[in-house]
Amino acid sequence: MPHLFRSLQELAPVTPGPLKYLKVYEYEKGAFPDVQLHFQWIPCYHCEKPACVDACPSGVLQKESKYGAVLVGDSDACTGCRMCYDACPYGVPVFASDDLDAKVQKCDMCIDRLEAEISRYAYCPAHPERWTLDL
Ligand code: SF4
Ligand code: SF4
């Protein structure tokens, strides 16, 4: 595992920051002494019919056709209304602050890396099905 971690960081370094595009929740089941700790990760699912896209009155969020990624288009047009956040069943769209002029941000499926054809390397825990590591 240390080798895997080092390789991922070398291939696609991720800078820590306040915005979290992927949420991970933990919860317990059972009663002492038979207690289990579970983890549930919530990514953007890049929905086939994305509610966030339909909800945006400014046309900022768009679903592209090549990979099916739901992307932030013209972020300057974002008014910060949060209607996309309200519409998303998973609370995926995020904002850098509570200021009403903060622009929407979200997972972009690492589409630039897909286009650069380095997707065979693992880099995103939200899409483990793409993990075809060649270590
Ligand atoms: S932000 Fe929410 S509604 Fe939009 S594509 Fe992602 S999971 Fe679906
Ligand atoms: S916050 Fe921005 S992206 Fe979200 S619905 Fe409002 S204008 Fe659209």
Side-chain angles (χ1 to χ4, degrees):
M1 185 58 80
H3 178 58
L4 172 63
F5 180 76
R6 187 185 67 243
S7 297
L8 297 182
Q9 286 299 320
E10 288 169 358
L11 289 165
V14 176
T15 305
L19 287 176
K20 296 177 176 61
Y21 293 173
L22 174 69
K23 299 177 177 72
V24 180
Y25 298 96
E26 63 176 65
Y27 59 97
E28 295 176 3
K29 275 186 176 178
F32 182 82
D34 187 19
V35 180
Q36 296 175 327
L37 183 61
H38 295 260
F39 296 93
Q40 173 71 50
W41 51 272
I42 307 289
C44 174
Y45 292 99
H46 298 279
C47 305
E48 191 172 329
K49 295 178 181 176
C52 60
V53 173
D54 292 343
C56 179
S58 305
V60 173
L61 297 173
Q62 301 161 2
K63 187 170 179 69
E64 60 83 39
S65 58
K66 185 172 181 180
Y67 303 102
V70 173
L71 305 172
V72 176
D74 179 10
S75 63
D76 288 341
C78 175
T79 62
C81 67
R82 269 68 166 177
M83 291 176 71
C84 53
Y85 175 84
D86 289 341
C88 173
Y90 310 104
V92 165
V94 289
F95 302 81
S97 76
D98 290 338
D99 295 341
L100 290 179
D101 59 355
K103 308 294 185 185
V104 69
Q105 298 184 50
K106 68 178 293 300
C107 160
D108 65 359
M109 205 191 268
C110 292
I111 194 167
D112 54 339
R113 291 174 180 146
L114 290 170
E115 285 290 89
E117 297 184 348
I118 57 173
S119 62
R120 71 194 183 98
Y121 297 112
Y123 49 80
C124 178
H127 297 282
E129 73 274 13
R130 295 199 197 112
W131 288 29
T132 52
L133 281 179
D134 197 1
L135 301 175

